[in-house]
Amino acid sequence: MTVLVDGFGRRITYLRVSVTDRCNLNCFYCIPGREGCLDGGQLLSLEEVVRIADVAAACGISKIRLTGGEPLLRPDLTELVRRLREVPGIRELSLTTNGMLLDTLARPLAEAGLQRVNISLDSLLPENFSGITRGGTLERVLGGVRAAREAGLYPIKINVVLLKGINDGEIADFAGLTLADDYHVRFIEFMPVTAEEERWREHYLPLEAAMAECTRLGPLVEEPGPPNGGPARYFRLAGARGNIGFISPLSRHFCGDCNRLRVTAQGKLLPCLLREQAIDLRPLLPDTAEIAAAFVKALLAKPDPTSLAADPLVRCRPFITKMAAIGG
Ligand code: SAM
């Protein structure tokens, strides 16, 4: 089997594919405005996504996560999942969603072969949730979480972006969800990815503060994360069925463990979230060797993890305004 190893010995097995840059929410920390949305014609087609996945798998990618924008807005998503599950070598297929449409789509997606979902959920209070997402409905997302459980999309990861002064009062409530159910609740540091630096300074909360807040429910015992599980550090409260993850791209960045490449909704292969460089896969799609060569080129373009700027504002600058197209 081919293995993708970059110039710094990191084995790259994971591809994140954005399938649309449209979103049905408008989270203040993610999308600066709606101007950047593409029309459907510019998006990779189902056949194009499958083609890229095929070659990526032959190159050594074994895990694909679909993201967006909001991937559930894509009308052919269920069919796309079904086709990706048939790609030889893809052993894990998951999806990141805001959950707004999951109540009806969880079952068809699971039946098509989707294995897991990450659900973004930043507040358990209806008004707070609506304020953060600028229009989202908490009850619908909770319905989506229930539907995902019923459809067997385990384990369900709940991603919470930590926002000082907005949801930091709910940290223990989120952690408490892991006591009775086997959720993986993952706290993520707010990254300065929109141009509003002031807002970032006001609401950024380092993860240590969230960890301290969780210990109000009892001591946290560290445990190994799932294999291929990405950058979170995992902990468990005594007797809890689920666990708590902490993802700290800023206070303790984890580029040294990076195992991923990304493809945008328009077919740009990105070696690194924090660099401008992108390889346009679309013109290469007729030629398998050229797509494979692009993967190797992307691999070699992954930066030295020790060369990235220490200042998060400098480090994240290339990433500004791109979140909706890349999908985190
Ligand atoms: N619509 C899907 C969703 O809501 O999960 C997928 C796309 S969304 C861009 C993917 C993830 O990026 C979400 O978990 C979201 O919370 C996270 N995200 C967006 N902006 C962020 C920021 N400024 N800092 C940290 N995480 C961010």
Side-chain angles (χ1 to χ4, degrees):
M1 194 189 96
T2 316
V3 176
L4 291 171
V5 180
D6 76 2
F8 304 92
R10 294 172 294 196
R11 194 166 159 198
I12 310 300
T13 53
Y14 176 13
L15 188 65
R16 273 187 176 220
V17 182
S18 174
V19 294
T20 177
D21 72 348
R22 290 179 52 228
C23 193
N24 48 355
L25 294 183
N26 194 14
C27 302
F28 79 86
Y29 57 75
C30 178
I31 305 182
R34 289 189 178 276
E35 312 82 45
C37 294
L38 301 173
D39 76 45
Q42 289 171 271
L43 300 177
L44 287 176
S45 69
L46 180 148
E47 294 300 336
E48 287 172 329
V49 176
V50 175
R51 172 102 177 100
I52 291 168
D54 246 324
V55 181
C59 290
I61 296 291
S62 58
K63 170 174 170 181
I64 290 182
R65 171 175 298 282
L66 302 178
T67 178
E70 173 48 41
L72 268 54
L73 287 178
R74 191 165 163 132
D76 57 3
L77 185 68
T78 306
E79 178 60 11
L80 178 61
V81 164
R82 197 183 63 70
R83 293 281 303 278
L84 289 174
R85 277 302 278 164
E86 290 167 357
V87 171
I90 299 301
R91 291 194 291 274
E92 281 187 67
L93 182 60
S94 59
L95 179 137
T96 297
T97 175
N98 60 38
M100 287 282 288
L101 301 174
L102 205 51
D103 51 353
T104 51
L105 284 170
R107 186 160 297 280
L109 286 168
E111 284 170 2
L114 188 72
Q115 291 158 300
R116 287 189 297 99
V117 281
N118 287 9
I119 301 174
S120 303
L121 177 56
D122 298 330
S123 176
L124 297 169
L125 303 172
E127 274 187 28
N128 208 18
F129 180 80
S130 171
I132 295 167
T133 56
R134 297 189 285 201
T137 313
L138 177 64
E139 205 36 58
R140 286 193 67 176
V141 179
L142 295 179
V145 174
R146 283 192 294 274
R149 288 177 66 86
E150 282 160 21
L153 293 169
Y154 289 133
I156 294 176
K157 293 184 184 170
I158 295 183
N159 287 342
V160 186
V161 176
L162 284 169
L163 302 163
K164 185 166 72 186
I166 296 181
N167 66 4
D168 47 347
E170 299 184 51
I171 292 169
D173 294 339
F174 274 109
L177 294 178
T178 66
L179 291 170
D181 287 304
D182 54 357
Y183 294 120
H184 294 201
V185 171
R186 306 184 326 154
F187 295 106
I188 304 173
E189 281 176 343
F190 175 25
M191 295 171 71
V193 297
T194 69
E196 298 171 43
E197 189 178 321
E198 278 316 305
R199 212 130 194 233
W200 176 75
R201 288 193 190 284
E202 190 184 343
H203 296 302
Y204 169 67
L205 183 77
L207 276 178
E208 285 69 35
M211 284 177 105
E213 198 48 30
C214 291
T215 57
R216 281 179 39 200
L217 301 179
L220 292 173
V221 178
E222 189 157 9
E223 62 181 33
N228 230 349
R233 285 172 68 204
Y234 283 96
F235 296 81
R236 195 175 290 262
L237 290 162
R241 294 190 60 207
N243 61 24
I244 305 172
F246 295 94
I247 304 180
S248 48
L250 300 185
S251 65
R252 188 174 162 274
H253 80 78
F254 37 71
C255 302
D257 300 326
C258 181
N259 64 348
R260 63 196 61 181
L261 293 169
R262 293 176 167 83
V263 177
T264 70
Q266 309 98 310
K268 303 274 182 357
L269 179 61
L270 306 181
C272 171
L273 204 53
L274 305 177
R275 289 285 153 95
E276 298 277 18
Q277 196 174 355
I279 303 169
D280 191 359
L281 291 177
R282 229 180 203 143
L284 313 178
L285 291 182
D287 188 331
T288 301
E290 288 227 40
I291 307 171
F295 271 89
V296 172
K297 195 170 159 197
L299 195 71
L300 297 177
K302 283 185 81 63
D304 178 346
T306 61
S307 73
L308 293 160
D311 180 343
L313 288 169
V314 177
R315 198 160 70 235
C316 292
R317 197 162 288 141
F319 188 29
I320 284 174
T321 74
K322 291 195 300 186
M323 188 65 115
I326 300 172

